[in-house]
Amino acid sequence: MRQRPSRLVTRLSATLVPAVVASAAWAAWLGWDQHRDVQPDGTTTGPYEAWQVIGLVLTLLVPVYWAASRHQVAGAVLGTTVGLTAAAWYDWSDDSSGLFVVGVGMVMVGSLVLTAAVSAVISALKQDGR
């Protein structure tokens, strides 16, 4: 059974748009901050501040809402997860310890779970006509 081209374009764009926006948002919010802050007691924090991560999450709500409100939950979830995972891999892969893989895995699982939950709620609310 063949799908109409417009339906295929809708599904493809519902995956690609969140992926591209997620990667670009990572670069805009987190990609430029690469130094750790040294506290007076010698401990280090960072490189990201809470406001940067909150900004990233709020930015990602837009493409997730856009895709999920069109009942393309899989596209919203997969696109966002792939975009964030690829951006984290690219940003952190210069870590010589190899532990960046653990962080990238945490980004992948966290974005998968949270985006799935948010997308399911949005899609359900849109289905009820709200």
Side-chain angles (χ1 to χ4, degrees):
M1 181 175 188
R2 290 184 48 168
Q3 293 183 1
R4 296 183 323 209
S6 63
R7 189 169 180 95
L8 181 61
V9 169
T10 301
R11 287 187 179 182
L12 187 59
S13 65
T15 304
L16 289 178
V17 168
V20 169
V21 171
S23 294
W26 180 286
W29 286 103
L30 305 179
W32 56 271
D33 193 359
Q34 299 297 317
H35 72 281
R36 297 190 177 274
D37 298 320
V38 180
Q39 304 301 320
D41 64 356
T43 59
T44 59
T45 61
Y48 312 123
E49 300 291 333
W51 65 267
Q52 291 172 284
V53 177
I54 292 167
L56 174 64
V57 170
L58 292 175
T59 302
L60 292 177
L61 285 176
V62 174
V64 168
Y65 178 83
W66 175 81
S69 66
R70 288 160 176 73
H71 306 295
Q72 300 295 325
V73 173
V77 173
L78 293 176
T80 304
T81 301
V82 167
L84 287 177
T85 303
W89 185 279
Y90 179 78
D91 194 18
W92 298 341
S93 63
D94 60 349
D95 176 34
S96 61
S97 72
L99 288 176
F100 77 94
V101 176
V102 175
V104 170
M106 292 172 68
V107 167
M108 182 182 69
V109 171
S111 62
L112 181 71
V113 170
L114 292 175
T115 308
V118 169
S119 297
V121 168
I122 292 168
S123 182
L125 290 174
K126 282 296 201 176
Q127 199 166 26
D128 289 345
R130 295 180 191 170

